[in-house]
Every structure is written in structure tokens, then in C-alpha cells.
Amino acid sequence: MVHVGVVLAIVAIAVSSTMGTSVEVVLGAGESTSVGRYSLTFLRVDELREPHRTSLAARVAVSRDGEDVGVLSPRMNQYDTQREPIGSPAVRTSFFEDLYLSIMNVDPAGGSVALRVYINPLVGWIWIATGIMALGGLLAVLPPPRRQPAFAGETVPPRVGMAGAPSESR
């Protein structure tokens, strides 16, 4: 079982790293672009104030194959203790692929945003493979089930050790 998980993880990592898509787009308010099977429409920029930071969040409507999948909001965070802003990507995870949106640049006055769009296939399968490996490892450390006699008078033969001699049971 562990080997199946390892093979699945290797395949998922190989597909994710070689078949992914990464593009940069610049959108004005109301503009749309297509990346792979996704259509992205930039709606607006919201300024969010919190006690420890100020954020500019780009609201981007996302549809996949014409079906609405929601609004993603990648952010550019300015912390009081930092000189440079720090980006927080927005992620949409599905069974077969992940969509990441990261802000490269945002102009709230001009109403535009520069986004980096990543589409990474089979990322979720890496987590599934990890679970399969963990389950296989757990099953490997459990003791094997003891064989019960089929009939009341039947005896269970002794276990044979490494040298072919019967081993003592504990």
C-alpha cells in the first residue's frame, strides 16, 4: 500500500510540475481574460484596514468552462513593521487542479491589477498519496492477526522462525 502511495505521489508531482500553467495578465475594472479553462473577470479593488495591516484586495470573478465558481480575492498586505508589501495569493482547490491568483501590482486609483495566474494539476492527489502512504505505514506496524482454529479439536501449528525451528509464542 505504501508503494502505491509513493507511485501516486511521484506521478502527481511530475504532472503538477511539468503540465502546470503560469501567466501574467493586466486587467482593468470589468475586463476579462481566459487562462486554460478559466475565465477571470476583474471586478474591483477593496482597501481593507485591520489593526496590524492595510490590504488591497482584488476581487476577481472566476468561471470554469462557463460555470461560475466564485470570487477570489488575492491581497497585497502592507504591515506597519515592513517596508515592502507582502502578497497573499487566493487559491481555488479542486479534485484535479488548483488555481492560484497572486497580485503582482495593483493601482486602486487607476482601477487596474496585474495578476500572476497559476494552474497546477493534481496537487490534491499529492495529499491523497500522502494519506495512502500513512495508512500503509500504519498497517505495516500493526501485528498480524492470529490464526484461530477452524474446529474445536484442531490445533494451530507452531510458527516457524528464521532458521526453520519453531519459535516460541509470547
Side-chain angles (χ1 to χ4, degrees):
M1 184 176 263
V2 174
H3 293 103
V4 170
V6 169
V7 169
L8 185 59
I10 290 170
V11 170
I13 290 168
V15 169
S16 178
S17 61
T18 60
M19 306 220 20
T21 301
S22 173
V23 297
E24 291 182 19
V25 296
V26 178
L27 298 172
E31 289 184 341
S32 297
T33 190
S34 293
V35 179
R37 298 175 0 178
Y38 293 94
S39 176
L40 310 171
T41 303
F42 175 53
L43 303 174
R44 67 181 183 279
V45 174
D46 292 335
E47 185 174 349
L48 309 167
R49 295 187 186 275
E50 299 175 60
H52 62 292
R53 70 180 172 191
T54 301
S55 301
L56 294 174
R59 305 289 182 199
V60 181
V62 180
S63 62
R64 182 173 159 210
D65 296 329
E67 183 179 325
D68 181 35
V69 295
V71 175
L72 293 180
S73 299
R75 293 179 174 204
M76 193 60 82
N77 304 300
Q78 182 65 58
Y79 292 91
D80 298 332
T81 58
Q82 300 290 322
R83 242 193 243 174
E84 297 294 321
I86 298 171
S88 295
V91 181
R92 181 192 177 274
T93 300
S94 67
F95 194 65
F96 290 107
E97 65 189 7
D98 288 358
L99 171 68
Y100 298 84
L101 300 181
S102 290
I103 294 178
M104 303 299 294
N105 189 13
V106 62
D107 180 11
S112 66
V113 67
L115 296 172
R116 182 175 293 255
V117 181
Y118 299 95
I119 301 172
N120 294 323
L122 299 185
V123 172
W125 285 89
I126 298 170
W127 293 105
I128 292 169
T130 304
I132 291 171
M133 287 185 282
L135 180 61
L138 179 65
L139 291 174
V141 298
L142 292 176
R146 298 196 124 201
R147 184 173 170 262
Q148 297 295 323
F151 302 102
E154 181 183 2
T155 60
V156 177
R159 295 177 115 182
V160 176
M162 292 286 283
S167 62
E168 295 181 25
S169 49
R170 296 181 190 186

